[in-house]
Each structure stands twice: as C-alpha cells, then as structure tokens.
C-alpha cells in the first residue's frame, strides 16, 4: 500500500449559459463531499460527480451532463487536485402536464395533486411531492413522471 493522498483542490469548468455559471461559482467543495486535507478516496470523487449533477438538477437544470474529469496527483506533496467539467444545459421550466392511462378520475383530481405551476423553474422536489401525493391517494396502481430529453422552445 502506497502513501495516503489528500484533497488539495477542486475546480469546476462549466460550459453554457451565464445563469448556470453564476450558480456553479457558489458550489463549495463541502457540498460535493470533498474536504481539503482529507483522504482522497476514489469513491468520494465519483460521489462528488453525482452530487454535482443533483445540485444542477435542483437548480433547474435536469438535462445537465458531466464532461471529462481530470484528477491530478502531486506525488511529492501526496495531494490530489480535481477538475470537473459539466454542461448544465438551459434552465428548464415546468410546462403543460399530460395525463396518460387515466380512465376513471376527473382531471381536477390530478390538478390538485400537482405541486408546481406552469412556468416555474424545474424543481425535482416538486416532482417528488407530486408523485408522493398521487401514490398516497391509493387510487392509482402506478404513477410516473417523465420529462423529455430536450426542452420545448
């Protein structure tokens, strides 16, 4: 077993609109689970990437994609520096809702359960609240919310 390497630096290279870049400047290493001076385990680097995607999604970018990551070891100092690249894509907003497979319930039932309004910034927590509200009603055998792979104009 070799020497233990610790985290020394974390950088984000964000491509895309200025809103996303501005938001990403506020993301701290701690939010991604990277603590300077602490052991640089590979699993923490992979988890940090996933946390970055979740943070972007929570900020209205559900189609964010990770780019290449660069992990650089300073053998003399026993430290690791990380550069994550990401393309958040445009900020998304809730649009029209389409209900499929319903044969017995009135549209008002669904409208009362939906936790967002058309035009609001996409928020996965509101999607989760909507799913929970629909499932807890006991009136549906299965519920899913599907968003597209691209944004409407």
């Amino acid at each position: 077993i070799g020497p233990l390497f610790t985290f020394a630096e974390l950088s984000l290279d964000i491509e895309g609109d200025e809103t996303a870049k501005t938001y990403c400047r506020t993301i701290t290493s701690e939010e991604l689970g990277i603590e300077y001076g602490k052991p640089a385990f590979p699993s923490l680097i992979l988890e940090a990437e996933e946390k970055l995607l979740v943070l972007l999604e929570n900020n209205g970018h559900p189609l964010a994609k990770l780019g290449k990551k660069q992990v650089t070891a300073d053998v003399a100092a026993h430290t690791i520096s990380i550069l994550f690249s990401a393309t958040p894509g445009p900020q998304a907003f809730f649009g029209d809702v389409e209900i499929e497979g319903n044969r017995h319930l009135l549209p008002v039932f669904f409208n009362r359960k939906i936790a967002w309004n058309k035009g609001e910034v996409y928020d996965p927590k509101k999607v989760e609240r909507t799913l929970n509200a629909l499932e807890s009603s006991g009136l549906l055998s299965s519920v899913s919310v599907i968003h597209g792979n691209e944004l409407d104009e």
Side-chain angles (χ1 to χ4, degrees), residues 68-139:
K68 292 184 179 182
K69 71 175 163 283
Q70 182 178 338
V71 180
T72 306
D74 181 333
V75 177
H78 297 126
T79 59
I80 296 286
S81 296
I82 307 164
L83 171 65
F84 288 136
S85 299
T87 304
Q91 193 169 41
F93 300 87
F94 287 112
D96 293 322
V97 175
E98 296 178 24
I99 308 295
E100 295 181 5
N102 173 43
R103 296 177 200 199
H104 305 290
L105 299 172
L106 296 174
V108 69
F109 167 80
F110 294 98
N111 293 336
R112 288 184 181 148
K113 303 291 184 191
I114 296 172
W116 65 82
N117 294 307
K118 182 178 177 177
E120 288 181 340
V121 173
Y122 175 83
D123 182 347
K125 293 177 191 109
K126 290 183 178 184
V127 173
E128 188 66 29
R129 278 202 312 267
T130 299
L131 282 171
N132 289 338
L134 290 168
E135 289 170 347
S136 68
S137 74
L139 298 174

Side-chain angles (χ1 to χ4, degrees), residues 130-150:
T130 299
L131 282 171
N132 289 338
L134 290 168
E135 289 170 347
S136 68
S137 74
L139 298 174
L140 304 165
S141 60
S142 80
V143 179
S144 61
V145 175
I146 301 168
H147 64 72
N149 293 324
E150 57 186 42

Side-chain angles (χ1 to χ4, degrees), residues 1-7 38-42 73-80:
I1 298 179
L4 181 66
F5 282 71
T6 59
F7 290 114
K38 299 288 183 178
F41 298 119
D74 181 333
V75 177
H78 297 126
T79 59
I80 296 286

